[in-house]
């Protein structure tokens, strides 16, 4: 048998052996304190009670902004972003106000019917709450100083839309 063939057959066993050797012993732990019956548990092989002590609470996830992704033509939850841009998108969403950017008309319009972050039927022009709107010029959200007929006439500093 060649050295390469031997290594090919033996390497997985060597790795598994090394991993097992690095793991703590799986032998039962013993306690030196009193047992529930009042006697000592030392050497009896009883395992201490594991798990949380007291009440378990869960925190709500941080609200995520619903942001327009120009290449996808849809809205997604922004998992990570800054300076008016999203770097990591999550699941599809629809802005709470349903005032969405219509890339075809380059205006913000109310969405009469939304599906998977995409507006299927646009309605009249609108002005998003907070005036933090998508700018196609630089693919980021910016504060709008002057809004007219669903379009921002003058963009200012970058912003993050409200969740």
């Amino acid at each position: 048998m060649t050295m390469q063939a031997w290594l090919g057959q033996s390497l997985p066993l060597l790795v598994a052996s090394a991993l097992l050797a690095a793991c703590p012993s799986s032998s039962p732990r013993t306690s030196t304190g009193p047992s529930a019956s009042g006697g000592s548990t030392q050497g009896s092989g009883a395992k201490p009670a594991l798990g949380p002590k007291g009440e378990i609470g869960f925190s709500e996830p941080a609200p995520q902004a619903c942001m327009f992704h120009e290449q996808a033509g849809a809205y997604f939850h922004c998992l990570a972003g800054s300076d008016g841009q999203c770097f990591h998108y999550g699941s599809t969403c629809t802005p709470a106000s349903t005032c969405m950017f219509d890339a075809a008309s380059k205006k913000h319009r109310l969405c009469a019917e939304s599906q998977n972050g995409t507006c299927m039927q646009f309605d009249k022009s609108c002005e998003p709450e907070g005036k933090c709107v998508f700018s196609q010029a630089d693919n980021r959200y910016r504060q709008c100083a002057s809004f007219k007929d669903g379009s921002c006439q003058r963009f200012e500093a970058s912003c993050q839309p409200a969740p």
Side-chain angles (χ1 to χ4, degrees):
M1 176 181 287
T2 68
M3 183 63 126
Q4 286 180 328
W6 181 83
L7 275 176
Q9 290 177 353
S10 302
L11 190 58
L13 292 173
L14 291 171
V15 170
S17 297
L19 289 173
L20 286 174
C23 292
S25 172
S26 60
S27 63
R29 296 180 185 174
T30 59
S31 170
T32 58
S35 69
S37 62
S40 175
T41 58
Q42 187 167 3
S44 68
K47 294 182 182 179
L50 299 177
K53 306 256 190 273
E55 215 172 289
I56 299 174
F58 296 96
S59 61
E60 291 292 319
Q64 301 162 337
C66 187
M67 297 177 76
F68 184 70
H69 185 291
E70 187 173 29
Q71 288 77 21
Y75 279 80
F76 297 87
H77 288 287
C78 182
L79 303 178
S82 112
D83 195 28
Q85 294 179 305
C86 185
F87 307 121
H88 186 83
Y89 291 94
S91 61
T92 60
C93 59
T94 300
S97 67
T98 69
C99 185
M100 299 171 76
F101 183 73
D102 176 14
S105 69
K106 299 182 182 188
K107 294 182 177 188
H108 285 81
R109 299 169 60 190
L110 286 174
C111 182
E113 182 185 343
S114 175
Q115 187 175 30
N116 295 325
T118 303
C119 185
M120 307 308 280
Q121 182 182 351
F122 280 107
D123 201 0
K124 63 184 178 178
S125 296
C126 61
E127 188 174 316
E129 293 176 27
K131 296 185 181 182
C132 184
V133 298
F134 181 74
S135 167
Q136 264 189 320
D138 58 1
N139 291 328
R140 71 180 61 220
Y141 276 77
R142 292 193 172 276
Q143 211 49 52
C144 182
S146 173
F147 221 85
K148 182 179 178 185
D149 190 33
S151 297
C152 184
Q153 306 300 306
R154 192 179 87 225
F155 287 104
E156 293 183 334
S158 61
C159 59
Q160 285 297 112

